[in-house]
Amino acid sequence: MTAATSSCTHRFKIVVVGDSEVGKTSLVVRFVEGTFSEEYIKTIGVNFFIQDLDIGDNRIRFLVWDTAGQERFGPVRQEYFQGAKGALLVYDKANQESFDHLEFWIEEINRYCSGIPTILVGNKADLAEVVTTEQGQQLAAKHNLPFIETSAKTGENTTQLFYELGTQILAILEGTD
Ligand code: G3D
Ligand code: MG
């Protein structure tokens, strides 16, 4: 698993969904830059990030779509989801409400891109736990999703997350899933 720079074998559009403030942008920025910033300029529209990753013999180019805060005001537009090959469904382990709201986001994914590989992500693993690991695992099992806990602050599992998602998408492409 290494970050890659030259020509790629696949391009995957990835969407990141979940409540506002759960750390979606931070996770993406951590993945694309390997750093964590405590401050972001909150612009209007969709932010778009590109990062390559080697998975086995494949060089994957992730085109990561990140909302610029629309989720604060309600549903995210259909265009956001269009053509997505995978999704990260993120909640904040220190925020119960963000966990309780996941069913809403699962419905949104199902409405616009039903069946795409989706990973349930419990972020802010560096903070005192409100939503337990077991609760995350149970919800993941209920919806048949892989589950991973991350910290955009420490970098825990942030590259692993994209590696897992890319592996799932490749498995579907190669018909091994
Ligand atoms: P969003 O894109 O889901 O809205 P952001 O979330 O990435 O903007 O992050 C929201 C706040 O949570 C930010 O704090 C950010 O620094 C913080 N954050 C994100 N991920 C983590 C994490 O893993 N651990 C901790 N401790 N904090 C995290 P500010 O204060 O800058 O608004
Ligand atoms: Mg954001």
Side-chain angles (χ1 to χ4, degrees):
M1 179 175 47
T2 51
T5 48
S6 54
S7 63
C8 58
T9 54
H10 298 283
R11 290 162 181 262
F12 298 152
K13 173 181 172 179
I14 302 301
V15 288
V16 189
V17 296
D19 277 7
S20 183
E21 299 296 318
V22 297
K24 300 183 299 299
T25 302
S26 303
L27 281 171
V28 178
V29 168
R30 184 56 122 142
F31 173 57
V32 301
E33 295 177 357
T35 55
F36 177 83
S37 169
E38 299 278 350
E39 280 179 53
Y40 295 115
I41 299 163
K42 289 182 174 148
T43 51
I44 308 298
V46 172
N47 294 319
F48 177 72
F49 299 85
I50 298 175
Q51 177 68 50
D52 294 353
L53 191 66
D54 284 342
I55 300 179
D57 293 334
N58 300 287
R59 179 152 293 181
I60 310 300
R61 176 152 295 173
F62 288 100
L63 312 172
V64 186
W65 288 46
D66 177 39
T67 67
Q70 298 96 318
E71 74 278 16
R72 190 186 306 274
F73 309 106
V76 171
R77 295 165 65 95
Q78 177 177 358
E79 289 82 351
Y80 183 72
F81 291 95
Q82 224 152 36
K85 293 283 191 295
L88 298 176
L89 174 62
V90 188
Y91 67 95
D92 173 353
K93 285 198 70 190
N95 180 328
Q96 182 70 42
E97 202 182 324
S98 74
F99 183 74
D100 295 341
H101 212 201
L102 286 170
E103 300 277 357
F104 166 80
W105 292 113
I106 290 170
E107 280 173 27
E108 290 293 285
I109 294 170
N110 286 340
R111 171 155 35 158
Y112 294 125
C113 32
S114 185
I116 59 167
T118 301
I119 295 186
L120 180 64
V121 185
N123 188 43
K124 306 199 187 181
D126 58 289
L127 295 180
E129 179 176 85
V130 174
V131 181
T132 65
T133 300
E134 290 69 31
Q135 286 174 300
Q137 285 167 340
Q138 278 170 13
L139 189 82
K142 178 181 168 195
H143 291 281
N144 199 21
L145 301 174
F147 173 59
I148 195 163
E149 292 185 325
T150 59
S151 168
K153 184 163 192 171
T154 67
E156 178 189 345
N157 281 341
T158 52
T159 302
Q160 187 63 27
L161 180 58
F162 286 86
Y163 190 86
E164 288 285 336
L165 186 58
T167 302
Q168 293 248 331
I169 299 169
L170 281 171
I172 286 178
L173 282 181
E174 290 162 5
T176 55
D177 202 16

